[in-house]
Amino acid sequence: MSFTIISPTPGLTTKERILELILTHPEGITAKKLSDRLNRPISMINYCLKDLKEKKIIQGKLNSEDKQWIYYPVAFIN
C-alpha cells in the first residue's frame, strides 16, 4: 500500500476564515452556520472556536430562544 503526502494549499487557514466570518457578522453567528459556510465538520469548527475563545479574540453567548451558542468578536458583546 502506498501513501501520498499532501501539502497544504495556499490561502487562509480554517481558523482565519472563521475569524473573518465572525468579524463580518457583528450580530453573531452560530457554529452550525460557520460549518455550512466553510464546508467543514462541526468538530473542526468547535476546535477552532475554542482556540479563538482562549485567546480572547471572540466570545460566545447562549441564545435563550433556540439554545445555540452565538459567537461574536469580543468588542461586540453586550
Side-chain angles (χ1 to χ4, degrees), residues 5-58:
I5 305 297
I6 60 171
S7 59
T9 56
L12 297 175
T13 64
T14 300
K15 194 179 306 179
E16 292 168 338
R17 292 174 67 199
I18 288 171
L19 182 58
E20 185 178 81
L21 276 173
I22 290 173
L23 291 174
T24 58
H25 289 82
E27 72 281 0
I29 191 167
T30 64
K32 175 68 175 139
K33 287 182 183 176
L34 289 168
S35 174
D36 292 344
R37 292 240 177 126
L38 298 174
N39 194 26
R40 296 285 185 264
I42 195 75
S43 59
M44 178 185 283
I45 299 296
N46 285 330
Y47 179 81
C48 294
L49 288 171
K50 180 180 176 185
D51 189 51
L52 291 169
K53 285 191 301 186
E54 287 174 356
K55 293 179 180 176
K56 301 195 186 306
I57 297 171
I58 65 166

Side-chain angles (χ1 to χ4, degrees), residues 52-53 56-61 69-74 77:
L52 291 169
K53 285 191 301 186
K56 301 195 186 306
I57 297 171
I58 65 166
Q59 278 191 334
K61 185 177 179 182
W69 283 93
I70 300 175
Y71 296 95
Y72 304 88
V74 170
I77 294 288

